[in-house]
Amino acid sequence: QVPVVESGGGLVQAGGSLKLSCVASGLTFNTVGMAWFRQSPGKEREEVSYIDSFDSSGETIYYADSVKGRFTISRDNDANIMYLQMNSLVPEDTAIYYCAVRSSPANFVSWRQKNQYNYWGQGTQVTVSS
């Protein structure tokens, strides 16, 4: 089992920003894909963003349409930390945000599939007030 720990959640007003972090110990970051998912009460867990470095030419990054242009995913491979910078937050972004790790590359379709991720964190709560 790989320890995956999220942090950085909190309460913020609409229009505000938060930066989430995910630490995954014992991994070589450029050999795994990582993603953020979120789950609101009464809803299924949904994809937010994905990042990997399997291709030596650069990073592969995907965003859900609902966050594109507002959220930015990044990671520090040397420090084993992934980030999610969230700007222009709206109440609909309120959810528990989860970090997930997969051992194989994802494409534009498969990055959304929860069952393809090997490890998950416990989540961090993000609440956006109107």
Side-chain angles (χ1 to χ4, degrees):
Q1 187 68 21
V2 172
V4 179
V5 181
E6 305 94 336
S7 63
L11 173 64
V12 64
Q13 288 189 331
S17 299
L18 282 175
K19 187 173 185 177
L20 306 184
S21 299
C22 170
V23 177
S25 304
L27 296 174
T28 302
F29 260 35
N30 60 6
T31 65
V32 298
M34 300 183 71
W36 290 98
F37 287 77
R38 66 185 183 186
Q39 188 167 17
S40 305
K43 295 186 178 181
E44 288 194 11
R45 193 171 299 189
E46 64 177 5
E47 68 281 2
V48 175
S49 187
Y50 170 86
I51 187 169
D52 76 37
S53 308
F54 290 104
D55 188 335
S56 59
S57 66
E59 293 178 329
T60 297
I61 291 176
Y62 301 117
Y63 293 102
D65 287 344
S66 59
V67 306
K68 202 171 293 183
R70 299 188 298 122
F71 291 10
T72 302
I73 193 170
S74 63
R75 67 184 191 180
D76 183 335
N77 289 344
D78 293 331
N80 277 27
I81 303 177
M82 179 178 67
Y83 302 101
L84 186 68
Q85 177 67 47
M86 306 187 295
N87 298 328
S88 302
L89 286 161
V90 297
E92 292 73 25
D93 294 319
T94 295
I96 299 174
Y97 283 70
Y98 297 91
C99 174
V101 181
R102 59 185 288 155
S103 57
S104 59
N107 59 29
F108 184 69
V109 173
S110 66
W111 79 273
R112 305 171 187 269
Q113 296 168 342
K114 296 181 289 293
N115 61 4
Q116 296 202 11
Y117 291 84
N118 307 101
Y119 305 107
W120 292 81
Q122 295 300 306
T124 184
Q125 176 72 49
V126 171
T127 303
V128 184
S129 63
S130 57

